[in-house]
Amino acid sequence: MEELRILNPRLDANFKAIFTQPTESSRKALKSFLTAAIGREVKEVFVTENDNPIEFADQRGISYDINCTFADGTAAQIEMQGYEQDYDYGKRAEYYAARLISSTLEVGDYWEKVPQAYQISVLNFSFDTTNEEPVHHYTMADIKDGSKLSGRLNVIFMELPKVPPIDEKTDIRNLPPLIKWCKFFKEADNPSQQGLIESIIKSEEGIMEAEKALKGISQERWRWIIQGQIEGKERDYYSSIHNAEERGIKKGAHANAIESARNLLRMALGTPEQISQAVSLPLEQVLALKEELETEKAANLANHISPEKTMF
């Protein structure tokens, strides 16, 4: 029997699908993940605005965030960022966390009703390159002594590239649950890491349920079409950035070579042939620069010996 291909859980459409299917596996996986992320047991959770897009138009215009509330009113937004973007992700996360709080209050509510809010992001890139820790929980605190304000506003980042490697000597059972989740997201679709994934799901029931959900959606052909379109658009996006950078580098290098040739010609350091070889410019261009400099020199000399200018 052909082995089942697994969708990439680091693509936000697939990530959302793992936790939002109308199945027991998805529900258990979501509660388990949230429990690991916020550090307290989540017994009941309700998913809101769960609009799975069936037709794909433009991946950047579709929201794949998971918005949910707990029985006690706590609000959470979960998202996967599979690719690093061109915006300040820290500011973006703070904004969404603040919006979570403001959207839950009604006119006339007491401040006591302000719920806890968690903006939870799984990042397939390093957000803070100065810190090697893969998991960060940010909240409002005093900058001197670290005392917290109310603990209502929370931003949690899980940076997948920083998750430490796991080998055969590692006791999977002793790993923090959130690290296990990060490893699952990072390696679930990697055929060479299925032994590791098997060990992880045996030690964490919620991840076992997530794997069931991922295998279930991996049998739906239309999701593979969406994945291909998302990956294609991302390749186009990063290729255009790379090509623009390459053009900029080449343009800058050429400008530097011209300036170097000018300086060498001004100081008469070498023949045009030698300068051409030194700065990697065609000899014809160096000769043209030499002629241009000689014309400038003649014009400056003419100005220097011209009749005295009228003074006002």
Side-chain angles (χ1 to χ4, degrees):
M1 182 180 295
E2 184 180 356
E3 188 175 353
L4 176 66
R5 293 171 61 210
I6 301 298
L7 287 164
N8 178 0
R10 296 170 303 284
L11 292 184
D12 45 12
N14 299 336
F15 178 82
K16 178 173 183 176
I18 291 171
F19 295 112
T20 58
Q21 298 304 295
T23 63
E24 190 64 21
S25 289
S26 277
R27 286 188 285 271
K28 286 183 177 179
L30 180 58
K31 287 190 287 187
S32 173
F33 176 68
L34 285 169
T35 295
I38 70 175
R40 63 182 175 89
E41 186 178 4
V42 176
K43 294 182 178 180
E44 195 170 12
V45 60
F46 309 93
V47 176
T48 59
E49 301 175 20
N50 181 23
D51 53 338
N52 281 323
I54 295 178
E55 295 183 0
F56 181 90
D58 184 354
Q59 188 261 340
R60 294 185 178 278
I62 294 176
S63 173
Y64 289 102
D65 303 339
I66 304 169
N67 295 298
C68 49
T69 56
F70 305 169
D72 63 359
T74 298
Q77 182 182 65
I78 313 167
E79 63 177 339
M80 166 67 74
Q81 283 288 323
Y83 303 93
E84 187 169 9
Q85 306 295 345
D86 291 334
Y87 43 70
D88 189 324
Y89 198 73
K91 292 178 182 177
R92 179 181 185 275
E94 284 183 317
Y95 168 77
Y96 280 119
R99 196 173 70 170
L100 271 177
I101 286 181
S102 63
S103 65
T104 58
L105 286 180
E106 300 291 341
V107 176
D109 279 347
Y110 297 109
W111 291 120
E112 286 73 12
K113 287 192 174 183
V114 174
Q116 282 193 307
Y118 295 88
Q119 203 285 334
I120 303 168
S121 297
V122 183
L123 309 178
N124 195 30
F125 56 88
S126 294
F127 168 71
D128 183 357
T129 57
T130 66
N131 192 311
E132 296 182 356
E133 289 296 320
V135 178
H136 292 275
H137 187 150
Y138 305 97
T139 189
M140 295 185 71
D142 186 273
I143 60 174
K144 291 183 179 180
D145 61 21
S147 58
K148 293 183 180 180
L149 193 58
S150 71
R152 290 295 186 265
L153 195 68
N154 297 270
V155 172
I156 299 172
F157 284 171
M158 286 157 268
E159 302 171 58
L160 298 186
K162 295 181 181 179
V163 178
I166 297 175
D167 56 30
E168 62 277 0
K169 297 179 182 179
T170 304
D171 188 346
I172 302 292
R173 295 169 299 177
N174 292 334
L175 289 175
L178 205 51
I179 295 299
K180 296 179 187 179
W181 275 103
C182 288
K183 267 297 180 184
F184 172 74
F185 295 135
K186 188 176 180 180
E187 305 291 359
D189 59 325
N190 184 348
S192 68
Q193 295 294 312
Q194 291 311 298
L196 168 63
I197 297 301
E198 187 69 25
S199 298
I200 289 175
I201 65 175
K202 285 180 179 179
S203 69
E204 200 73 28
E205 183 181 357
I207 300 179
M208 181 184 297
E209 299 298 337
E211 191 209 29
K212 290 179 184 177
L214 181 58
K215 285 185 174 180
I217 64 173
S218 294
Q219 298 180 61
E220 298 174 339
R221 183 175 178 274
W222 66 271
R223 294 191 185 277
W224 286 97
I225 296 173
I226 288 179
Q227 175 166 303
Q229 291 174 323
I230 292 174
E231 291 175 336
K233 280 192 172 289
E234 292 297 336
R235 290 192 191 100
D236 291 344
Y237 175 71
Y238 285 103
S239 293
S240 65
I241 291 176
H242 174 75
N243 292 337
E245 290 175 346
E246 285 292 311
R247 287 194 296 271
I249 291 171
K250 290 177 181 177
K251 186 177 180 180
H254 185 68
N256 290 336
I258 290 176
E259 187 60 28
S260 297
R262 286 181 186 276
N263 291 334
L264 292 172
L265 287 167
R266 287 192 186 100
M267 294 182 289
L269 295 177
T271 65
E273 289 80 5
Q274 291 170 327
I275 293 172
S276 169
Q277 186 174 5
V279 301
S280 300
L281 283 177
L283 177 60
E284 295 78 6
Q285 191 167 8
V286 175
L287 291 171
L289 289 172
K290 182 182 179 184
E291 184 178 347
E292 181 182 309
L293 289 173
E294 289 174 347
T295 300
E296 289 178 4
K297 184 177 180 181
N300 291 334
L301 183 62
N303 288 335
H304 181 70
I305 62 175
S306 62
E308 187 177 352
K309 296 180 180 179
T310 305
M311 303 294 294
F312 293 92

